[in-house]
């Protein structure tokens, strides 16, 4: 692939010209890239999207009612946060039954209807698959507790147990080992203590989790987002993790707890399973640098996941230089026929608009890069109207994280992060009515952001210069059936042609081909 770029002052010009051998080959044989390399993702945090039954909590029927809104914006694929039976201690990332829908979200019929309706609109849907751990209340864990010492061992237990903890640490706080008085042993939990890690060294665990994937593939879902995917296996002999200078990981390098070779094998196994059902997207949440994410995608001989997040970009710097480097870096690591995922917000970290102090002009610049760069853009609900985080006290958080990690607020503010994930999960702002049109309940599960009277979908729809309309335009430019998209997959691919001014002041841009001069306002985007 050839990427021609120019860097004038603080103006980033996108010029794409693809001469990639594989693209040529695929076009010669009349094939195109699989849908999941061309798609656009819209992440729905179910609990906060739309409450159809008035209990203050978003639900599946609520999504059904908003499906045309999402389709009309131009998004092609939904990623739905977990809706399975759960005590909701980590809002669905602590599952007690992978085959049941939590009653507050709806029924199995609702989810089947959602899958059907998504497909009827020519869209796709991927589910959030939590493979690494279950809730401590899962029947498998309760069974493991009852095992007699003779029955115990890596090939018998569903979870990871030990008598003598080593130095493995939780991603959240302290040791990852927790004593259980019934079994009189320690169980391993890489994230929160009520999320015990499954023991993938037990073939029955592998089979049980592949069975979960199979069940949902049979229901015609189009793939999965894979929670904490590089955490699945740990070292079989429990070797201590080595020392490192990284304070974020409490000075431990997770050499024996992350990225084990068996996890790569499991990725290939999952891919093989998916391929029996057609072209399915497998998007891994991979903790670590992009080079680690790349490992999980494998190669043409051993394909693994189709995509992996690179979370470093969540802490982007809003300059032309940063995005120039980012796109070049992504192209180097994920060359065609692979593709990067561009993500700037999610349900765990500060929203993109919050990082930019709510300045929608700069938010627009970021999303323009996200939409025009080659790859899959992943947009978190509300980003289309520039939603910002709520400011909610740590003490009253529903999210368990701020109760586990005692860091003063000013410190997380300085770091530009939040410990209270409630803040990034406030209800979707639909209109200026009560609770922003999210719910007709007396109280919503989290408070609506007080900026909703001005910032909501209805207001954005009425303003032709809004961020929402910019999104619609960009998504339209990407639509595969439009003429522009022919250029996206051919040997000479013109991905987009935009001039983005990342500086505060107006700049003049001279078109390199025509010599035309264009004045571009500060923080403005011009689509040529
Ligand atoms: O998050 C894992 C993860 O990457 C977190 O460490 C994240 O960086 C942290 O929450 C920052 O605040 C996944 C899910 O996205 C998250 O919602 C779940 O709580 C977690 O796994 C456990 O399943």
């Amino acid at each position: 692939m050839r990427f021609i770029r120019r860097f004038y002052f603080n103006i980033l010009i996108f010029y794409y010209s693809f001469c990639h051998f594989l693209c040529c080959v695929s076009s010669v044989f009349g094939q195109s890239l699989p849908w999941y390399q061309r798609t656009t993702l819209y992440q729905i945090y179910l609990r906060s999207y739309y409450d159809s039954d008035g209990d203050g909590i978003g639900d599946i029927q609520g999504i059904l009612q908003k499906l045309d809104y999402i389709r009309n914006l131009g998004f092609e694929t939904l990623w739905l946060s977990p809706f399975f039976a759960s005590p909701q201690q980590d809002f669905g990332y602590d599952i007690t039954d992978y085959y049941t829908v939590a009653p507050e979200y709806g029924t199995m019929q609702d989810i089947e209807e959602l899958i059907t309706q998504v497909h009827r609109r020519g869209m796709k849907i991927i589910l959030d698959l939590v493979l690494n751990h279950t809730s401590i209340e899962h029947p498998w864990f309760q069974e493991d507790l009852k095992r007699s010492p003779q029955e115990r061992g890596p090939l018998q237990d569903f979870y990871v147990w030990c008598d003598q903890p080593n130095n493995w640490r939780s991603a959240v706080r302290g040791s990852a080992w927790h004593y259980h008085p019934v079994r009189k042993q320690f169980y391993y939990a890489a994230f929160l203590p009520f999320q015990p890690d499954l023991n993938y060294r037990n073939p029955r665990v592998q089979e049980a989790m592949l069975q979960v994937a199979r069940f949902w593939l049979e229901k015609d879902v189009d793939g999965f987002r894979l929670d904490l995917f590089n955490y699945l296996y740990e070292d079989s002999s429990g070797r201590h993790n080595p020392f490192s200078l990284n304070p974020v990981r409490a000075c431990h390098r997770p050499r024996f707890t992350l990225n084990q070779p068996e996890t790569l094998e499991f990725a290939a196994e999952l891919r093989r399973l998916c391929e029996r059902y057609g072209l399915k997207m497998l998007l891994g949440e991979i903790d670590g640098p992009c080079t680690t994410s790349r490992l999980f995608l494998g190669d043409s001989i051993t394909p693994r996941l189709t995509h992996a997040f690179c979370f470093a970009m969540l802490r982007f710097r809003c300059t032309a230089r940063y995005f120039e480097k980012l796109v070049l870096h992504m192209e180097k690591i994920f060359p065609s026929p692979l593709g990067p995922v561009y993500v700037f917000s999610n349900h765990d970290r500060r929203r993109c608009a919050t990082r930019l102090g709510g300045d929608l002009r700069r938010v627009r610049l970021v999303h323009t890069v996200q939409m025009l760069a080659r790859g899959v853009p992943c947009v978190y609900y509300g980003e289309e109207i520039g939603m910002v985080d709520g400011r909610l006290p740590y003490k009253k958080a529903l999210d368990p994280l701020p109760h586990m990690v005692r860091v003063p607020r000013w410190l997380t503010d300085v770091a530009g992060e939040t410990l209270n994930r409630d803040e990034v999960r406030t209800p979707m702002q639909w209109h200026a009515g009560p609770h922003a049109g999210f719910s007709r309940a007396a109280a919503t599960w989290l408070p609506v952001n007080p900026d909703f009277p001005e910032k909501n979908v209805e207001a954005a729809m009425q303003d032709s210069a809004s961020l929402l309309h910019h999104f619609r335009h960009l998504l339209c430019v990407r639509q595969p059936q439009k003429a522009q998209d022919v250029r996206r997959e051919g040997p000479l691919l013109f991905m987009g042609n935009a001039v983005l001014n990342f500086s505060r002041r107006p700049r003049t841009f001279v078109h390199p081909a025509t010599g035309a001069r264009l004045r571009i306002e500060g923080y403005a985007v011009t689509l040529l």
Side-chain angles (χ1 to χ4, degrees):
M1 191 194 105
R2 217 169 116 232
F3 182 90
I4 308 163
R5 70 196 189 284
R6 304 241 169 134
F7 186 73
Y8 290 127
F9 304 106
N10 209 16
I11 301 178
L12 179 63
I13 311 157
F14 278 91
Y15 268 94
Y16 296 84
S17 166
F18 282 68
C19 305
H20 194 279
F21 170 70
L22 282 164
C23 284
C24 300
V25 170
S26 71
S27 94
V28 165
F29 291 99
Q31 294 163 354
S32 58
L33 288 171
W35 68 267
Y36 49 68
Q37 296 294 0
R38 294 176 280 122
T39 198
T40 48
L41 274 172
Y42 186 73
Q43 183 192 351
I44 297 186
Y45 194 73
L46 176 57
R47 211 172 170 83
S48 297
Y49 202 60
Y50 185 60
D51 169 20
S52 73
D53 59 1
D55 62 357
I57 296 173
D59 44 53
I60 298 165
Q61 280 295 333
I63 300 177
L64 273 158
Q65 292 183 31
K66 298 295 182 184
L67 216 46
D68 284 328
Y69 161 74
I70 304 167
R71 199 255 328 254
N72 292 340
L73 278 179
F75 286 102
E76 293 153 29
T77 303
L78 305 185
W79 151 25
L80 196 51
S81 56
F83 52 76
F84 314 97
S86 159
Q88 308 290 353
Q89 280 181 281
D90 189 23
F91 297 107
Y93 287 93
D94 49 330
I95 295 168
T96 45
D97 185 352
Y98 291 84
Y99 300 102
T100 306
V101 178
E104 60 264 60
Y105 297 138
T107 62
M108 189 59 88
Q109 256 177 334
D110 292 334
I111 196 75
E112 285 168 355
E113 191 187 344
L114 181 64
I115 297 167
T116 307
Q117 292 300 332
V118 163
H119 289 160
R120 205 162 276 171
R121 285 164 178 76
M123 295 162 72
K124 309 269 186 195
I125 179 165
I126 66 169
L127 305 188
D128 207 320
L129 197 56
V130 187
L131 294 171
N132 180 64
H133 52 259
T134 67
S135 159
I136 199 162
E137 293 175 29
H138 196 292
W140 294 336
F141 191 82
Q142 301 307 317
E143 275 299 305
D144 249 16
L145 286 182
K146 291 185 212 142
R147 272 175 209 285
S148 67
Q150 294 80 356
E151 285 181 296
R152 297 175 186 175
L155 294 182
Q156 274 89 51
D157 298 320
F158 256 62
Y159 295 84
V160 182
W161 295 92
C162 79
D163 294 312
Q164 272 299 316
N166 58 13
N167 75 345
W168 295 352
R169 300 186 61 91
S170 142
V172 177
R173 185 191 77 182
S175 170
W177 296 101
H178 306 276
Y179 185 72
H180 202 291
V182 173
R183 185 154 147 153
K184 299 191 174 56
Q185 273 192 311
F186 294 82
Y187 65 88
Y188 177 70
F191 206 70
L192 291 159
F194 53 80
Q195 291 165 324
D197 273 47
L198 284 161
N199 171 19
Y200 277 80
R201 300 204 178 269
N202 179 346
R204 290 196 299 132
V205 168
Q206 291 171 39
E207 187 38 46
M209 298 316 285
L210 290 171
Q211 185 53 39
V212 170
R214 216 174 279 132
F215 176 85
W216 291 102
L217 289 165
E218 298 278 348
K219 295 218 176 281
D220 214 13
V221 299
D222 301 290
F224 304 102
R225 175 263 186 190
L226 303 156
D227 192 60
L228 287 172
F229 191 78
N230 56 334
Y231 283 68
L232 297 196
Y233 279 82
E234 298 78 33
D235 181 53
S236 58
S237 49
R239 280 173 283 181
H240 282 285
N241 273 330
F243 173 81
S244 96
L245 288 173
N246 184 356
V248 177
R249 294 197 187 272
C251 297
H252 284 73
R253 189 158 63 85
R255 172 157 172 220
F256 296 116
T257 41
L258 263 61
N259 314 322
Q260 299 301 293
E262 295 89 342
T263 310
L264 295 178
E265 281 168 30
F266 189 78
E269 176 81 31
L270 192 60
R271 176 72 174 263
R272 277 194 292 276
L273 169 69
C274 285
E275 276 175 359
R276 278 185 235 141
Y277 293 85
L279 290 170
K280 303 291 175 184
M281 182 179 220
L282 284 175
L283 167 56
E285 186 195 29
I286 305 294
D287 187 357
C290 283
T291 41
T292 307
S293 295
R294 172 65 188 83
L295 266 184
F296 281 87
L297 307 193
D299 51 38
S300 55
I301 297 161
T302 313
R304 298 182 184 124
L305 309 184
T306 63
H307 293 87
F309 285 119
C310 292
F311 285 139
M313 70 177 85
L314 287 173
R315 288 184 61 85
F316 65 90
R317 279 179 46 240
C318 195
T319 63
R321 190 178 291 275
Y322 174 86
F323 285 108
E324 180 200 39
K325 278 194 180 159
L326 176 69
V327 173
L328 288 175
H329 187 57
M330 290 292 125
E331 284 302 329
K332 203 169 124 207
I333 301 205
F334 303 102
S336 180
L338 299 176
V341 178
Y342 286 95
V343 61
F344 298 105
S345 301
N346 66 27
H347 63 295
D348 290 331
R349 305 283 292 275
R350 280 231 165 287
R351 279 179 179 272
C352 153
T354 310
R355 291 185 196 274
L356 295 172
D359 182 347
L360 294 191
R361 295 170 305 168
R362 291 199 294 158
V363 171
R364 184 182 294 236
L365 290 173
V366 176
H367 291 304
T368 308
V369 177
Q370 182 182 32
M371 292 291 157
L372 294 184
R374 191 189 66 88
V376 173
C378 182
V379 174
Y380 186 44
Y381 81 94
E383 272 194 291
E384 69 271 30
I385 53 168
M387 265 174 70
V388 291
D389 305 345
R391 179 94 179 163
L392 304 170
Y394 282 9
K395 273 196 184 139
K396 288 190 184 156
L398 302 181
D399 179 21
L401 279 194
H403 303 291
M404 303 267 317
V405 187
R406 302 251 176 227
V407 175
R409 180 85 203 208
W410 65 264
L411 203 61
T412 48
D413 281 347
V414 168
E417 294 291 345
T418 181
L419 275 181
N420 185 1
R421 295 176 299 174
D422 294 354
E423 295 187 340
V424 306
R425 299 169 178 180
T426 58
M428 178 66 172
Q429 297 164 204
W430 293 105
H431 58 65
H435 299 313
F438 161 70
S439 166
R440 56 176 193 276
T444 53
W445 83 282
L446 283 176
V448 177
N449 194 310
D451 67 0
F452 79 90
E454 305 83 46
K455 191 175 283 177
N456 59 66
V457 170
E458 202 176 271
M461 285 280 191
Q462 281 157 14
D463 174 6
S464 62
S466 68
L467 180 63
L468 181 137
H469 284 294
H470 187 65
F471 257 105
R472 282 187 56 203
H473 185 78
L474 290 170
L475 283 159
C476 184
V477 167
R478 292 181 61 99
Q479 290 286 322
Q481 61 271 32
K482 297 272 159 59
Q484 289 95 323
D485 278 293
V486 178
R487 292 184 274 176
R488 203 154 53 131
E489 284 178 21
L492 281 171
L493 191 63
F494 188 73
M495 274 294 291
N497 197 351
V499 187
L500 297 86
N501 182 0
F502 281 86
S503 78
R504 215 166 353 112
R505 282 186 296 278
R507 301 278 184 185
T508 301
F509 163 68
V510 183
H511 197 292
T514 64
R517 292 171 75 84
L518 265 180
R519 187 184 142 94
I520 300 158
E521 293 305 318
Y523 296 146
V525 176
T526 299
L527 298 173
L528 300 175

